[in-house]
Amino acid sequence: MISKNKCLSLFKKFTQSQLAIPMFALLLLVVFNLIRDPEFFSISIKHNNLGNSVFTGNLVSILNGASELVILSIGMTLVTAATRGQDISIGAVAAIAGSVFVKVLRAGTITPGVIAGGLLLACIVTIVFCLFNGLLIARFGIQPMIASLILFTAGRPIAYWINGGATPNVESNYLSYLGSFIPGIPVPSPILIVILFIVLIMLIMKFTNLRLYIQAVGINEKASKLNGIDPVIMKLVVFVILGICVTMAGSMNVCRIGLINHETILIDIEMDAILAVAIGGNSLGGGKFRLAGSIIGAYIIQTLTITLYAMKVSSTAVKAYKAIVIIAIVVIGSPVVKDALKKLKNRIASARGSAVKAEVK
């Protein structure tokens, strides 16, 4: 059995962890929903249009609906850590990725090989656009948000131009397998794709020095350069990874809905990705990071969204409610509030110590 002291030690270690605030926020949302509706997180099995047995329910909707955001929040975390800023063009560049993907799919019969080729070409194009932002930031020293403002403005018009101003449909069983369900597997495909991607990223971080190099550049560029780490190269590397993330998110969205609409695809997703990074306890000023925090932050945002819709809040008002809750979470997790709580804790401990000494005397 685990001793009481060890339990207290583990609890104290967790409360001081970066993941404490996002986990607490997620727990609050879970408890609130269970009180409001005990069946909120229940999972049932139903038959879809193709007659396949699939899992349904709010929990499945949360995990499924957050798929693109989770992938983009991983890329945004790495960019934030290395560049000490955020890329606000990921939604617009996702529109470009989706447009290129659709352009390839519509060129002929849709087969697994054509889908793979479309994903590869979309990935190459997207990485080029992301590297454009990366060069402005790494080589010319432009602040990340300002550098990415160019594609934030021009990205969707470029996506519009790729498909000649149309919003073409793409229909294929293969695409529906990637965007919804694979026959015989009741779990939505986007959830499985996200799990595989997270595992891959975690393995890369564990068995390479990429995490160390990114953190070193984000904390102190000059010191990292003296230690043989090229800040420019590392910043470009994170933008390559971001390009892959953006391609996956944009293509996944196309597979979900079966068309590309440059105006609405992943609209405002960049703001949610930045918030996921912040809610996850990562500093928006760069340096040390935890991908797990950003992933939890993405699911918190999606849980909040599904909760508001379940409460019959209009789609127009959802953003306002989300903003209020998210601001509260970010403020609670801010260094100022943490320092204040730490001082209060020390003061209470000191007062208790003085009371014990007085009783002894």
Side-chain angles (χ1 to χ4, degrees), residues 21-22 25 29 69 268-281 284 296-305 308 317-334:
I21 296 297
L29 280 172
L69 181 55
D268 296 330
I269 193 73
E270 53 276 339
M271 297 299 108
D272 281 347
I274 294 170
L275 286 171
V277 175
I279 292 172
L284 295 182
I296 294 170
Y299 286 119
I300 288 173
I301 292 172
Q302 188 65 23
T303 302
L304 180 58
T305 302
L308 292 171
V318 162
K319 290 183 181 179
Y321 283 98
K322 280 171 62 178
I324 294 170
V325 175
I326 289 167
I327 287 171
I329 293 172
V330 172
V331 168
I332 291 171
S334 67

XYZ file of all heavy atoms in Angstrom, residues 21-22 25 29 69 268-281 284 296-305 308 317-334:
351
model
N -3.308 23.239 -13.518
C -4.393 24.151 -13.874
C -5.267 23.576 -14.992
O -6.499 23.542 -14.858
C -3.838 25.535 -14.266
C -3.135 26.197 -13.067
C -4.963 26.438 -14.779
C -4.040 26.481 -11.900
N -4.684 23.120 -16.126
C -5.559 22.562 -17.166
C -6.327 21.321 -16.716
O -7.493 21.152 -17.089
C -4.594 22.228 -18.313
C -3.233 22.252 -17.721
C -3.290 23.211 -16.596
N -9.173 22.544 -14.576
C -10.206 23.164 -15.418
C -11.037 22.093 -16.118
O -12.272 22.192 -16.189
C -9.555 24.091 -16.442
N -15.142 21.188 -15.659
C -16.099 21.039 -16.759
C -16.807 19.691 -16.695
O -18.012 19.591 -16.930
C -15.381 21.191 -18.099
C -15.090 22.621 -18.570
C -14.197 22.603 -19.802
C -16.382 23.368 -18.859
N -7.960 20.689 -33.943
C -7.399 21.629 -32.974
C -6.231 21.020 -32.212
O -5.227 21.695 -31.945
C -8.491 22.082 -31.997
C -8.067 23.082 -30.920
C -7.439 24.319 -31.536
C -9.262 23.460 -30.043
N -11.065 30.820 -37.641
C -10.713 31.200 -36.257
C -9.988 30.098 -35.483
O -9.826 30.200 -34.260
C -11.948 31.628 -35.456
C -12.600 32.884 -36.027
O -11.860 33.707 -36.608
O -13.823 33.043 -35.886
N -9.530 29.052 -36.181
C -8.859 27.945 -35.481
C -7.549 28.397 -34.857
O -7.109 27.855 -33.832
C -8.604 26.768 -36.457
C -8.206 25.487 -35.705
C -7.527 27.125 -37.476
C -9.329 24.828 -34.985
N -6.915 29.430 -35.442
C -5.633 29.900 -34.898
C -5.795 30.468 -33.491
O -4.926 30.290 -32.630
C -4.991 30.944 -35.820
C -5.858 32.120 -36.192
C -6.764 31.840 -37.372
O -6.476 30.913 -38.158
O -7.774 32.561 -37.492
N -6.930 31.136 -33.240
C -7.156 31.694 -31.912
C -7.346 30.582 -30.877
O -6.819 30.645 -29.765
C -8.383 32.613 -31.922
C -8.248 33.827 -32.827
S -6.864 34.917 -32.357
C -5.704 34.592 -33.682
N -8.091 29.543 -31.268
C -8.289 28.411 -30.358
C -6.974 27.673 -30.102
O -6.732 27.186 -28.989
C -9.314 27.431 -30.944
C -10.747 27.911 -30.743
O -10.950 28.849 -29.962
O -11.657 27.355 -31.381
N -6.122 27.592 -31.132
C -4.827 26.917 -30.962
C -3.935 27.685 -29.991
O -3.265 27.088 -29.141
C -4.129 26.772 -32.312
N -3.932 29.004 -30.112
C -3.140 29.833 -29.184
C -3.671 29.684 -27.767
O -2.908 29.557 -26.805
C -3.162 31.308 -29.626
C -2.432 31.472 -30.963
C -2.506 32.204 -28.572
C -2.598 32.837 -31.593
N -4.999 29.677 -27.633
C -5.603 29.524 -26.311
C -5.301 28.151 -25.722
O -5.091 28.020 -24.515
C -7.118 29.735 -26.410
C -7.562 31.192 -26.605
C -9.041 31.251 -26.918
C -7.239 32.024 -25.372
N -5.282 27.115 -26.573
C -4.955 25.770 -26.088
C -3.548 25.741 -25.511
O -3.296 25.110 -24.479
C -5.085 24.756 -27.229
N -2.623 26.435 -26.178
C -1.242 26.520 -25.678
C -1.210 27.216 -24.329
O -0.540 26.762 -23.387
C -0.351 27.267 -26.699
C 1.051 27.456 -26.129
C -0.273 26.491 -28.011
N -1.947 28.330 -24.223
C -1.952 29.100 -22.976
C -2.642 28.344 -21.849
O -2.136 28.285 -20.716
C -2.641 30.449 -23.206
N -3.803 27.753 -22.138
C -4.541 26.997 -21.120
C -3.707 25.823 -20.630
O -3.773 25.447 -19.454
C -5.882 26.499 -21.693
C -6.808 27.679 -21.949
C -6.555 25.521 -20.734
C -8.070 27.303 -22.687
N -2.900 25.254 -21.527
C -2.054 24.119 -21.162
C -0.891 24.479 -20.259
O -0.089 23.605 -19.904
N -0.791 25.751 -19.877
C 0.254 26.172 -18.950
C 1.566 26.526 -19.610
O 2.559 26.786 -18.933
N 3.516 31.867 -23.397
C 3.433 32.424 -24.740
C 4.673 33.227 -25.078
O 4.817 33.713 -26.202
C 2.182 33.316 -24.865
C 0.834 32.595 -24.728
C -0.312 33.575 -24.925
C 0.718 31.450 -25.718
N -4.386 18.855 -23.710
C -5.478 18.967 -22.737
C -6.229 20.277 -22.962
O -7.460 20.322 -22.898
C -4.938 18.901 -21.298
C -4.347 17.514 -21.022
C -6.042 19.199 -20.283
C -3.585 17.418 -19.721
N -5.483 21.361 -23.232
C -6.105 22.653 -23.494
C -7.055 22.597 -24.683
O -8.137 23.189 -24.657
N -6.674 21.870 -25.732
C -7.538 21.727 -26.918
C -8.829 21.011 -26.553
O -9.924 21.404 -26.989
C -6.792 20.979 -28.016
N -8.714 19.962 -25.743
C -9.921 19.232 -25.349
C -10.786 20.044 -24.390
O -12.020 19.898 -24.383
C -9.541 17.888 -24.730
C -9.082 16.879 -25.759
C -7.800 16.340 -25.723
C -9.929 16.467 -26.785
C -7.373 15.422 -26.681
C -9.516 15.549 -27.739
C -8.229 15.039 -27.680
O -7.819 14.140 -28.638
N -10.167 20.903 -23.589
C -10.942 21.793 -22.716
C -11.797 22.732 -23.563
O -12.991 22.939 -23.290
C -10.012 22.609 -21.797
C -9.414 21.709 -20.708
C -10.759 23.773 -21.139
C -8.349 22.396 -19.861
N -11.198 23.314 -24.600
C -11.926 24.236 -25.473
C -13.090 23.524 -26.155
O -14.211 24.049 -26.223
C -10.969 24.843 -26.523
C -9.965 25.769 -25.835
C -11.749 25.614 -27.592
C -8.856 26.271 -26.739
N -12.859 22.317 -26.643
C -13.919 21.571 -27.323
C -15.002 21.135 -26.337
O -16.196 21.158 -26.671
C -13.334 20.356 -28.049
C -14.318 19.619 -28.934
C -14.814 20.450 -30.100
O -14.155 21.397 -30.501
N -15.974 20.104 -30.632
N -14.609 20.730 -25.131
C -15.588 20.354 -24.106
C -16.471 21.537 -23.758
O -17.697 21.404 -23.622
C -14.876 19.851 -22.832
O -14.036 18.747 -23.151
C -15.892 19.418 -21.782
N -15.857 22.705 -23.638
C -16.610 23.924 -23.338
C -17.589 24.238 -24.470
O -18.743 24.606 -24.221
C -15.633 25.086 -23.130
C -16.243 26.454 -22.804
C -17.099 26.384 -21.549
C -15.142 27.496 -22.639
N -17.136 24.071 -25.698
C -17.998 24.340 -26.854
C -19.211 23.407 -26.870
O -20.355 23.853 -27.033
C -17.203 24.173 -28.167
O -16.084 25.066 -28.159
C -18.079 24.476 -29.368
N -21.691 24.295 -24.092
C -22.512 25.475 -24.394
C -23.607 25.138 -25.399
O -24.749 25.591 -25.261
C -21.628 26.606 -24.915
C -20.664 27.211 -23.879
C -19.692 28.168 -24.550
C -21.447 27.944 -22.782
N -23.367 33.455 -29.615
C -22.957 33.789 -28.251
C -21.898 32.850 -27.688
O -21.274 33.162 -26.666
C -24.181 33.777 -27.331
N -21.681 31.715 -28.351
C -20.722 30.730 -27.837
C -19.339 31.336 -27.662
O -18.664 31.115 -26.653
C -20.665 29.496 -28.776
C -19.400 28.687 -28.531
C -21.878 28.619 -28.541
N -18.892 32.123 -28.643
C -17.551 32.711 -28.582
C -17.396 33.627 -27.376
O -16.332 33.661 -26.744
C -17.252 33.472 -29.869
C -17.069 32.577 -31.081
C -16.712 33.391 -32.314
C -16.546 32.477 -33.526
N -16.209 33.243 -34.752
N -18.451 34.377 -27.050
C -18.382 35.284 -25.901
C -18.254 34.502 -24.595
O -17.431 34.832 -23.736
C -19.623 36.171 -25.868
N -19.065 33.445 -24.446
C -18.989 32.617 -23.245
C -17.628 31.925 -23.144
O -17.042 31.843 -22.053
C -20.112 31.570 -23.251
C -21.465 32.117 -22.882
C -22.388 32.460 -23.865
C -21.833 32.283 -21.553
C -23.647 32.960 -23.527
C -23.075 32.777 -21.200
C -23.982 33.117 -22.195
O -25.209 33.616 -21.861
N -17.147 31.422 -24.269
C -15.835 30.771 -24.281
C -14.751 31.760 -23.852
O -13.850 31.411 -23.084
C -15.521 30.238 -25.681
C -16.192 28.929 -26.024
C -16.013 28.567 -27.485
C -14.573 28.373 -27.846
N -14.412 27.965 -29.267
N -14.846 32.978 -24.339
C -13.836 33.989 -24.011
C -13.797 34.262 -22.516
O -12.716 34.354 -21.917
C -14.126 35.282 -24.779
N -14.978 34.366 -21.900
C -15.042 34.646 -20.461
C -14.400 33.523 -19.650
O -13.577 33.757 -18.764
C -16.509 34.846 -20.020
C -17.084 36.115 -20.660
C -16.602 34.928 -18.492
C -18.582 36.266 -20.485
N -14.776 32.289 -19.971
C -14.248 31.134 -19.233
C -12.746 30.994 -19.458
O -11.974 30.749 -18.527
C -14.991 29.845 -19.656
C -14.356 28.629 -18.993
C -16.453 29.941 -19.293
N -12.327 31.145 -20.701
C -10.915 30.963 -21.032
C -10.058 32.048 -20.376
O -8.957 31.768 -19.886
C -10.727 30.942 -22.559
C -11.300 29.632 -23.121
C -9.261 31.068 -22.943
C -11.465 29.618 -24.615
N -10.558 33.277 -20.345
C -9.822 34.360 -19.674
C -9.632 34.019 -18.200
O -8.552 34.204 -17.636
C -10.566 35.700 -19.830
C -10.418 36.213 -21.264
C -10.022 36.745 -18.852
C -11.289 37.420 -21.575
N -10.701 33.496 -17.588
C -10.614 33.115 -16.170
C -9.561 32.035 -15.957
O -8.743 32.118 -15.029
C -11.981 32.635 -15.680
N -9.529 31.023 -16.852
C -8.556 29.935 -16.727
C -7.137 30.457 -16.893
O -6.230 30.115 -16.120
C -8.845 28.834 -17.772
C -10.181 28.153 -17.458
C -7.725 27.798 -17.781
C -10.638 27.195 -18.546
N -6.944 31.325 -17.890
C -5.611 31.865 -18.159
C -5.128 32.737 -17.004
O -3.962 32.677 -16.603
C -5.608 32.658 -19.484
C -4.281 33.387 -19.679
C -5.855 31.725 -20.664
N -6.040 33.555 -16.458
C -5.667 34.436 -15.335
C -5.297 33.610 -14.108
O -4.306 33.892 -13.429
C -6.823 35.412 -15.010
C -6.570 36.122 -13.688
C -6.979 36.428 -16.126
N -6.092 32.567 -13.823
C -5.804 31.711 -12.665
C -4.447 31.039 -12.810
O -3.712 30.865 -11.842
C -6.921 30.647 -12.495
C -8.221 31.327 -12.068
C -6.514 29.592 -11.463
C -9.432 30.409 -12.088
N -4.106 30.691 -14.036
C -2.825 30.023 -14.280
C -1.663 30.962 -14.519
O -0.543 30.516 -14.777
N -1.896 32.271 -14.414
C -0.837 33.247 -14.676
C 0.194 33.271 -13.550
O -0.124 32.934 -12.395
C -1.440 34.646 -14.839
O -1.983 35.097 -13.609
